[in-house]
Amino acid sequence: MEHLFEKLWKHAESDCYPYHMPGHKRRCFGMLPEELCKLDITEIDGFDNLHQPEDILSSLQQEAARLYGAEESFYLVNGSTCGILSAVSCALPGGGHILMARNCHKSAYHAAYLRGLRITYLYPTYREEYDIYDVVEPCQVRCALEREPDIKAVLIVSPTYEGRISDIGAIAEIVHEKGIPLIVDEAHGAHLGLGEGFPKNSCQLGADLVIHSVHKTLPALTQTALLHVNGNRIHRGLLKRFLRIYQSSSPSYLLLMGIDNALQFVGLQGQMLFARFRQRYEAMLKELGVCKHLRFLTDFQGRQDIGKLLISVKGTGITGKQLYDILLQEYHLQLEMASTSYVLAMFTINDEEQAYGRMTEALLSIDRWLETQAGKLGTAGTRGHGTEKLGRAGTDVLDGKWSDAKALDWGQVDGISLGVAWDMLTEVVELGESMGRLMGEFINLYPPGIPILVPGERMTEAVYRRILEAIAQGLTVQGVQVSEGKGLSVPVICEQDQGHDLA
Ligand SMILES: Cc1ncc(COP(=O)(O)O)c(C=O)c1O
């Protein structure tokens, strides 16, 4: 089978002169490295066309479909973002009603806005002992579909940013009983279903549309992603139309080559790479099992992705951001994110032994330091829900307990659709004065870019406190501005405009 790297390299070494884009003409310029320029082309003769693939790109996409167990797969160069935009846009008619997990990435909301969709939310369950939003349970999906019979598509995120995996097989059955499609934003799960002992991916579990960020969890270049489609509930022509709309007309062949390269090597050596990954990861967790203060979310019953090491600081007296800063400044370990009460470190098949060794050493040493500080530190690690006792030390295997779906930490839904609300006139008010007001913009905790407030939702006391706490701990809250004379402020919908539109 022909692969892009060899083909691009052969072309670069040939005497064919480029009287075409890109403007670097395959030569180094300024600081741009030569090798990168040599391989960077877009659609020229012999290299097929991403928007109408008939040759090498068609074969590579078929190969991707085989690898993941999909009927049809598409290479994406605008990240999972464009996959989610396309999937949501084609899965139900404009103005239709979608059932969507509230912890969806902002791209899902953007799709709903662009297509004027009505949204009913599924609030993910909540794991109090780790302070995380957990999976969506199949019974939640069943109840919502029974309550709202005009829902035309369902969208779930699995794995979540924190690595929580929903029971997609059971959810797909429920959704399909209604004759509607299930979309799974599996942006964080491009590695699933490719190695023994790893959870299956959502194509293998019956989802109609599945989106993978290849760049997140496989060794590939940033922005690379895949979209897979299965079954007959999705209009394939419409899907391709939206991919043409949301994707660049000049796809980068460096990115396409990156997807090919990752999938080719995973296809060839996946069993060995994933087995080694798992073995190193488990060995690390075993060593970390002696920790008395830091806790690790581990659950090999198929509900936690091992690519995400969630380190909880709840009850330790330090915040997630403090642990994040210690790991960065003292140990030079750059983590993926910090939240109020945990940090996330990502591991993939491309980590070397030292990735595990350095993390283990650092965490053991921090845990020993926490032991010396017992009683001296504050209670900062116990956000909001801090009434429960500190869980047992070391690694915790989940016991299947979960609290009720929690709508309280999110904005209060008020009946104005996102499509209408985001176009309304806004004014900027002090954060403290926004209580009870309808939001005019998204407010996202970043990373990962999940909106805690969506345009048209009301600011509540609980969300207000959640924002203040995040800011106080040095976390990024997108959408909250510092405006002159007002301090922390947010855009809210003008009451006048609200009245007009609601009348
Ligand atoms: C759950 C989820 N879906 C989709 C995306 C968008 O992915 P991409 O960056 O590949 O566009 C992200 C990005 O962080 C994400 O966390």
Side-chain angles (χ1 to χ4, degrees):
M1 176 162 174
E2 200 173 23
H3 287 281
L4 273 175
F5 179 76
E6 290 86 350
K7 197 169 163 73
L8 285 167
W9 196 251
K10 215 156 119 193
H11 183 69
E13 300 283 277
S14 77
D15 65 351
C16 186
Y17 191 85
Y19 293 97
H20 59 77
M21 294 176 266
H24 57 58
K25 300 300 192 101
R26 290 200 270 114
R27 302 177 63 228
C28 74
F29 182 76
M31 308 295 271
L32 267 187
E34 174 102 20
E35 284 218 331
L36 190 139
C37 294
K38 271 179 136 180
L39 302 180
D40 180 40
I41 59 157
T42 187
E43 288 143 332
I44 55 170
D45 283 72
F47 283 87
D48 209 358
N49 186 312
L50 185 64
H51 294 287
Q52 198 174 332
E54 289 164 352
D55 188 12
I56 183 166
L57 296 180
S58 169
S59 319
L60 292 177
Q61 292 188 153
Q62 284 169 29
E63 196 56 26
R66 256 195 300 281
L67 186 69
Y68 283 95
E71 279 175 19
E72 204 175 348
S73 298
F74 299 88
Y75 273 31
L76 307 178
V77 290
N78 292 13
S80 280
T81 295
C82 80
I84 293 167
L85 287 168
S86 306
V88 172
S89 298
C90 79
L92 72 167
H97 188 176
I98 188 166
L99 179 63
M100 189 170 122
R102 185 60 179 78
N103 57 340
C104 275
H105 181 252
K106 56 189 173 180
S107 54
Y109 294 87
H110 295 166
Y113 166 76
L114 289 170
R115 299 283 288 156
L117 303 181
R118 205 178 123 215
I119 310 176
T120 290
Y121 291 117
L122 286 163
Y123 290 93
T125 54
Y126 177 70
R127 283 213 77 97
E128 200 154 305
E129 64 272 45
Y130 290 97
D131 222 351
I132 57 164
Y133 292 94
D134 204 342
V135 299
V136 165
E137 294 289 343
C139 59
Q140 291 180 272
V141 178
R142 186 181 292 287
C143 289
L145 291 179
E146 275 161 15
R147 236 182 3 248
E148 310 265 1
D150 67 337
I151 286 170
K152 294 285 184 282
V154 179
L155 170 59
I156 307 276
V157 187
S158 175
T160 63
Y161 191 63
E162 287 80 10
R164 304 301 296 152
I165 299 177
S166 290
D167 184 350
I168 297 299
I171 293 173
E173 263 180 45
I174 294 165
V175 173
H176 292 163
E177 276 170 26
K178 301 281 173 194
I180 59 174
L182 171 66
I183 308 165
V184 181
D185 171 357
E186 207 165 72
H188 291 273
H191 59 302
L192 299 185
L194 302 181
E196 209 158 306
F198 279 75
K200 287 184 174 167
N201 67 60
S202 293
C203 293
Q204 298 160 334
L205 294 167
D208 300 83
L209 286 160
V210 180
I211 301 100
H212 282 144
S213 284
V214 187
H215 72 93
K216 290 192 197 304
T217 61
L218 287 178
L221 296 173
T222 300
Q223 269 186 234
T224 54
L226 289 166
L227 183 148
H228 312 280
V229 58
N230 299 297
N232 56 9
R233 294 176 198 87
I234 298 300
H235 187 302
R236 307 280 173 109
L238 209 52
L239 174 60
K240 288 174 192 165
R241 179 193 297 172
F242 283 110
L243 284 172
R244 284 196 297 275
I245 293 174
Y246 295 128
Q247 289 224 86
S248 169
S249 61
S250 312
S252 155
Y253 272 70
L254 282 177
L255 299 187
L256 297 175
M257 179 192 80
I259 304 177
D260 176 17
N261 182 66
L263 301 191
Q264 186 191 345
F265 284 95
V266 163
L268 289 172
Q269 301 170 18
Q271 290 310 339
M272 179 277 287
L273 293 170
F274 282 104
R276 192 180 64 186
F277 173 22
R278 197 183 169 91
Q279 179 240 317
R280 285 174 171 172
Y281 192 84
E282 285 177 357
M284 172 179 71
L285 284 181
K286 202 164 167 214
E287 282 195 59
L288 291 173
V290 299
C291 286
K292 293 191 176 130
H293 301 274
L294 299 172
R295 289 186 307 134
F296 309 95
L297 176 54
T298 61
D299 161 22
F300 296 131
Q301 317 310 313
R303 288 223 150 175
Q304 179 63 25
D305 170 25
I306 72 165
K308 297 281 169 58
L309 178 66
L310 186 148
I311 308 158
S312 171
V313 294
K314 257 192 127 177
T316 62
I318 61 168
T319 66
K321 182 68 166 63
Q322 285 168 327
L323 176 60
Y324 177 95
D325 287 342
I326 294 171
L327 285 167
L328 182 58
Q329 285 154 18
E330 292 183 25
Y331 298 90
H332 305 158
L333 304 180
Q334 172 68 68
L335 267 65
E336 168 63 22
M337 70 92 83
S339 101
T340 45
S341 54
Y342 59 86
V343 296
L344 267 187
M346 287 184 66
F347 290 85
T348 76
I349 51 171
N350 216 29
D351 279 306
E352 291 179 328
E353 194 73 55
Q354 64 148 323
Y356 300 90
R358 285 182 64 182
M359 181 62 75
T360 307
E361 228 170 85
L363 292 175
L364 288 176
S365 150
I366 293 169
D367 196 74
R368 282 193 296 273
W369 170 74
L370 284 169
E371 178 72 6
T372 67
Q373 300 300 306
K376 294 187 210 154
L377 296 166
T379 51
T382 56
R383 169 172 97 81
H385 325 274
T387 49
E388 72 284 352
K389 60 182 183 340
L390 175 66
R392 76 182 162 81
T395 60
D396 244 358
V397 174
L398 292 184
D399 53 11
K401 269 190 270 153
W402 50 277
S403 64
D404 285 341
K406 222 164 165 283
L408 287 182
D409 277 0
W410 311 90
Q412 184 190 334
V413 174
D414 205 79
I416 306 183
S417 77
L418 167 61
V420 171
W422 211 8
D423 286 343
M424 284 178 154
L425 273 183
T426 59
E427 59 177 322
V428 175
V429 299
E430 262 185 51
L431 190 59
E433 283 169 20
S434 68
M435 206 70 64
R437 297 286 301 269
L438 296 176
M439 282 300 113
E441 258 301 338
F442 285 95
I443 309 290
N444 304 322
L445 287 181
Y446 194 85
I450 298 170
I452 48 176
L453 282 159
V454 172
E457 286 183 349
R458 277 189 201 283
M459 176 72 88
T460 64
E461 177 84 33
V463 175
Y464 170 70
R465 273 194 273 111
R466 199 175 162 196
I467 293 172
L468 282 188
E469 186 183 28
I471 291 173
Q473 293 188 12
L475 303 175
T476 305
V477 185
Q478 291 177 332
V480 177
Q481 322 154 4
V482 183
S483 48
E484 244 191 273
K486 281 205 175 97
L488 292 177
S489 321
V490 284
V492 295
I493 294 173
C494 291
E495 280 173 350
Q496 208 182 5
D497 195 18
Q498 217 179 96
H500 281 302
D501 242 89
L502 291 173

